[in-house]
Amino acid sequence: MSTETLSKSAAAIERARAAGRTALVGYLPAGFPDVQTTIDAAVAMAENGVDLIEIGIPYSDPVMDGTVIQQATVEALRNGFSVRQIFDVVEGITRRTDAAVLVMTYWNPVMRMGVREFADRLAAAGGAGLITPDLIPDEAAEWMAVSDEFGLDRVFLVAPSSSPERMQSTVDATRGFVYAVSIMGITGARSSVSSAAQEVVAAAHRAGAERACVGLGVSTAEHVQEIGAYADGVIVGTALVAALRDGGVPAVAALAKDLSTGTSKGLA
Amino acid sequence: MTDTEQPQPATDGPAEAFLAGGSLRHAQGPYFGAYGGRWMPESLIAALDELEETFDKAKSDPDFLAQVTELNRSYSGRPSLLTEARRFAEHAGGVRVFLKREDLNHTGSHKINNVLGQALLAKRMGKTRVIAETGAGQHGVASATAAALLGLECVVYMGAEDCRRQALNVARMQLLGAEVIPVTNGSQTLKDAINDALRDWVANVHTTHYLLGTAAGAHPFPAMVRYFHEVIGEEAREQILSATGRLPDAVCACIGGGSNAIGIFHGFLDDREVALYGFEAGGDGVDTGRHAATITLGRPGVLHGARSYLMQDDDGQTTESHSISAGLDYPGVGPEHAFLADIGRASYEPITDAEAMDAFRLLCRTEGIIPAIESAHALAGALKVGQRLAAEPGNAGEKVIVVNLSGRGDKDVATAAEWFDLLPEDSAEAEIGAEGEQL
């Protein structure tokens, strides 16, 4: 992995590790149902044991997302969310918490704004970096240079299908942590987490990744605890989005608190 | 590319070769100048690698090539005819117009060329299931056909609204043994059908091949889909030389994703004296916002795995396209077309719904051929190109245009009957038509 002195994500994961915990990453889409609620819900996550906040940019063609997140992002767009508001969301969260705040985005909105302008504004808002589900390192030359310039994390995904060569090149290109996709599929809560996740994390660690976090299908404290036995962090998305949809900010706070009970490494 | 927009010449790969006088044919990807590539989730990269490797090996395997040739001959009915359209040509400034008759292929369009090739590759990879997206249903029907022929399971994703309007095509696919899944996500259009097909593919990639229907998407799809359609241009070039003793002045094709166009263009790419024209769906007009003129008005971006021209707003959100022709109603375009536009090798112009429908009726009445509304865009373009050629020095009657008649219009009869107000007001058909249904 690249130099980590600047990485806010790495620092957040290492703080959790030092406290004997698995880092907990919580996802919400920006603007669902509105920008202020996103900020309030993210702050509530941070106050209830979430170490890293992942804020998604609603996008017209989210090919890696399942129904719950699709419906949330469609509503955000219908409610008038515009991409430049992502910086208000990030700033609103970083002003009120110490959690690292990453933006999850499909690549076209970044390309449309201009990669450099996007990075400049994200850094100014206090953001940690980007998670890019449809940008592989092979196509990321501009983002590699710009993220270096602004000290932003670049979180690429690795999957059960990644070859050893691709695992190596992706780990090498990553800064912050590697996003280990637990299953061949899309986002969505599942009753159990695939055993493939453990193999993906092991392969990432063998390739030199110091931090690998597991996402896709994680929805309960039991999942968090199970994954914490081998991974450095766990990523929860759909379950939190469903909680926000059904019960608002208090439900997000309650679920985050419950999920965080699974983070203690001592219990694993 | 409109007259007011400066082309942005690409400076790498085939562009340099072209500018230096080299060949544009057989471009392998992943990049076509600044376009193409693999803007895809990591989960699918291994499958794309496997497909690329299988395709590369197949291309140099005499058994595979023989299989493709034999299916083209004995199943699709190739070579397709080249028909001179003498009465139609009178409206094109008096130049000679020839139609490349892809409408005469089995299933009624060029689509069969690609689906047979890809279904054979799916078998070589040991896949037992193919999935496909479809707008009006043409590619879905072709995919279901190839799957039935080769004994593959077939699932077709189709926008819920399109399923309702194209109930007969849904029935056709079901008759052929395919499962049709209505897509209710997003805008419920073709692009959302592609999104759902990609979601299926990620989850089932071990058993499943994604049989993409156009020369777009992530590498190797643009180069591979073109490869299976190159037969159109190869045949057309030979046939026009045989019929006229010379190369045409212009080749015209319609462009949605651009598979029929790249197939016929490819035969003439290195014949620099042959002008290549792609006609995009201008819908209600390019100044109305209701169109699918991606190269004319779009901006570079990434969608469905490739960098290309794209209809998008200032936030990079894909905007909805509009066309009377469902087959052209797509907000993206194949990356090789974006490249050919930038270097000026091919010209792309919009044709409105009204212009296309006028050409549709003209071909019916002058040649006894009902074209697909997609192909009618190429015909309308050919009328304009013919009139321009006729205005230039030289004898108009010695000038030659080849039009790719990419599909037949049986599927479009209901749309056309409604457009031309041919249905009696009290008929059951008129009632159905008024609700936007297909007959």
Side-chain angles (χ1 to χ4, degrees):
Chain A
M1 274 202 231
S2 310
T3 51
E4 282 135 19
T5 47
L6 296 171
S7 170
K8 291 179 179 175
S9 312
I13 294 170
E14 294 308 327
R15 276 199 302 274
R17 195 197 306 277
R21 289 189 300 107
T22 308
L24 183 58
V25 186
Y27 165 91
L28 290 173
F32 171 67
D34 56 61
V35 163
Q36 190 57 50
T37 304
T38 308
I39 295 171
D40 293 342
V43 170
M45 289 199 295
E47 288 170 348
N48 287 279
V50 171
D51 302 287
L52 294 88
I53 311 281
E54 176 188 347
I55 301 295
I57 295 182
Y59 175 55
S60 53
D61 296 275
V63 296
M64 276 295 283
D65 284 311
T67 309
V68 171
I69 292 177
Q70 282 182 51
Q71 286 172 349
T73 54
V74 164
E75 184 175 335
L77 290 171
R78 200 186 300 127
N79 292 347
F81 178 82
S82 75
V83 170
R84 63 184 178 281
Q85 289 177 290
I86 193 68
F87 308 113
D88 302 333
V89 173
V90 171
E91 192 174 0
I93 301 167
T94 55
R95 200 187 293 142
R96 288 165 58 186
T97 77
D98 294 330
V101 181
L102 288 146
V103 169
M104 193 294 290
T105 182
Y106 294 90
W107 198 242
N108 199 52
V110 179
M111 192 179 263
R112 183 77 227 124
M113 181 176 290
V115 179
R116 197 172 186 287
E117 180 181 344
F118 193 101
D120 192 359
R121 294 175 73 171
L122 180 61
L130 292 181
I131 300 171
T132 51
D134 65 348
L135 180 71
I136 55 175
D138 318 48
E139 304 287 4
E142 186 178 10
W143 170 232
M144 299 288 283
V146 167
S147 53
D148 279 347
E149 181 183 347
F150 290 97
L152 292 170
D153 292 334
R154 39 182 189 250
V155 177
F156 293 109
L157 279 59
V158 292
S161 58
S162 298
S163 65
E165 296 74 24
R166 290 200 61 79
M167 179 65 75
Q168 188 64 58
S169 60
T170 306
V171 166
D172 290 346
T174 294
R175 177 164 50 223
F177 64 91
V178 172
Y179 190 127
V181 171
S182 68
I183 189 175
M184 294 301 287
I186 56 177
T187 61
R190 291 172 175 86
S191 55
S192 65
V193 174
S194 157
S195 60
Q198 187 164 0
E199 291 160 37
V200 179
V201 169
H205 283 156
R206 276 199 304 278
E210 292 179 41
R211 286 164 294 277
C213 300
V214 172
L216 260 56
V218 187
S219 58
T220 68
E222 289 70 34
H223 293 160
V224 172
Q225 194 164 345
E226 181 191 329
I227 294 166
Y230 56 84
D232 308 290
V234 290
I235 305 165
V236 180
T238 296
L240 287 161
V241 178
L244 181 60
R245 177 195 65 198
D246 299 338
V249 174
V252 171
L255 178 57
K257 189 166 192 173
D258 179 51
L259 290 166
S260 71
T261 63
T263 60
S264 171
K265 294 273 191 190
L267 295 176
Chain B
M1 188 76 34
T2 59
D3 295 339
T4 52
E5 276 181 28
Q6 279 296 106
Q8 310 153 339
T11 54
D12 50 337
E16 274 184 3
F18 173 71
L19 296 171
S23 176
L24 285 173
R25 282 160 55 80
H26 308 297
Q28 292 306 302
Y31 302 103
F32 306 88
Y35 305 103
R38 278 185 177 172
W39 308 82
M40 276 299 225
E42 170 65 22
S43 298
L44 287 173
I45 300 298
L48 292 167
D49 280 342
E50 180 191 20
L51 179 60
E52 182 181 9
E53 195 185 325
T54 305
F55 171 55
D56 282 346
K57 278 188 190 151
K59 273 191 298 183
S60 54
D61 179 345
D63 288 345
F64 179 80
L65 299 178
Q67 264 181 311
V68 171
T69 304
E70 178 56 17
L71 282 177
N72 280 346
R73 188 189 66 77
S74 67
Y75 189 72
S76 305
R78 303 207 70 92
S80 65
L81 299 176
L82 187 74
T83 303
E84 181 159 17
R86 291 188 176 82
R87 279 171 32 79
F88 179 83
E90 291 169 13
H91 302 265
V95 305
R96 298 180 76 182
V97 175
F98 291 82
L99 308 176
K100 180 58 178 163
R101 301 292 304 280
E102 292 299 298
D103 61 316
L104 297 177
N105 296 337
H106 179 48
T107 72
S109 79
H110 70 291
K111 294 284 186 190
I112 194 75
N113 305 326
N114 171 49
V115 296
L116 289 175
Q118 283 199 48
L120 286 173
L121 290 178
K123 298 275 280 191
R124 285 171 83 92
M125 290 185 287
K127 308 265 167 117
T128 56
R129 178 174 178 265
V130 292
I131 54 175
E133 81 293 342
T134 199
Q138 291 306 101
H139 175 58
V141 169
S143 298
T145 300
L149 178 69
L150 296 175
L152 295 160
E153 185 189 342
C154 180
V155 172
V156 179
Y157 289 89
M158 184 170 182
E161 182 67 9
D162 288 333
C163 287
R164 193 183 65 79
R165 289 187 303 195
Q166 302 279 350
L168 271 187
N169 267 339
V170 173
R172 279 189 188 100
M173 290 182 262
Q174 290 168 337
L175 284 171
L176 292 161
E179 180 189 357
V180 179
I181 300 183
V183 173
T184 54
N185 297 321
S187 56
Q188 308 189 14
T189 60
L190 175 59
K191 81 175 177 65
D192 301 285
I194 295 176
N195 293 341
D196 263 11
L198 286 169
R199 293 179 185 119
D200 179 317
W201 201 28
V202 173
N204 299 295
V205 69
H206 290 302
T207 60
T208 300
H209 172 64
Y210 182 12
L211 216 167
L212 184 67
T214 192
H219 178 68
F221 281 104
M224 182 177 71
V225 174
R226 184 204 64 222
Y227 176 83
F228 291 124
H229 285 305
E230 283 172 12
V231 64
I232 306 171
E234 304 305 323
E235 287 176 8
R237 191 174 187 280
E238 201 171 289
Q239 288 166 325
I240 197 70
L241 283 171
S242 166
T244 68
R246 52 160 296 192
L247 288 168
D249 297 279
V251 172
C252 298
C254 63
I255 303 259
S259 67
N260 89 80
I262 204 68
I264 194 163
F265 285 2
H266 190 263
F268 302 92
L269 275 181
D270 288 346
D271 301 316
R272 288 160 193 247
E273 66 272 36
V274 179
L276 305 176
Y277 292 94
F279 293 99
E280 302 190 300
D284 292 346
V286 292
D287 52 352
T288 65
R290 290 177 53 81
H291 60 80
T294 309
I295 295 181
T296 306
L297 286 178
R299 293 171 290 190
V302 292
L303 177 68
H304 297 145
R307 184 169 192 272
S308 187
Y309 283 94
L310 178 63
M311 289 177 59
Q312 56 180 316
D313 67 14
D314 289 340
D315 269 1
Q317 309 285 358
T318 311
T319 52
E320 281 187 46
S321 53
H322 292 277
S323 171
I324 190 169
S325 155
L328 304 183
D329 199 350
Y330 178 61
V333 67
E336 193 167 4
H337 286 297
F339 165 69
L340 293 174
D342 277 10
I343 65 169
R345 178 62 190 96
S347 307
Y348 298 84
E349 301 175 15
I351 293 292
T352 63
D353 288 353
E355 290 171 324
M357 292 311 292
D358 285 350
F360 175 97
R361 183 165 59 183
L362 184 63
L363 193 76
C364 292
R365 294 188 174 183
T366 55
E367 302 294 339
I369 297 170
I370 301 177
I373 297 178
E374 289 81 3
S375 317
H377 287 70
L379 293 163
L383 294 173
K384 293 185 181 184
V385 170
Q387 285 153 15
R388 279 183 231 157
L389 284 172
E392 290 169 11
N395 181 352
E398 291 172 4
K399 294 173 181 173
V400 175
I401 297 176
V402 173
V403 182
N404 199 17
L405 197 71
S406 55
R408 68 178 182 224
D410 305 48
K411 70 184 174 62
D412 295 319
V413 168
T415 306
E418 198 187 343
W419 179 273
F420 294 115
D421 202 16
L422 301 178
L423 300 171
E425 270 180 36
D426 56 352
S427 68
E429 289 83 356
E431 269 179 43
I432 294 167
E435 290 166 16
E437 306 261 4
Q438 292 287 323
L439 298 180

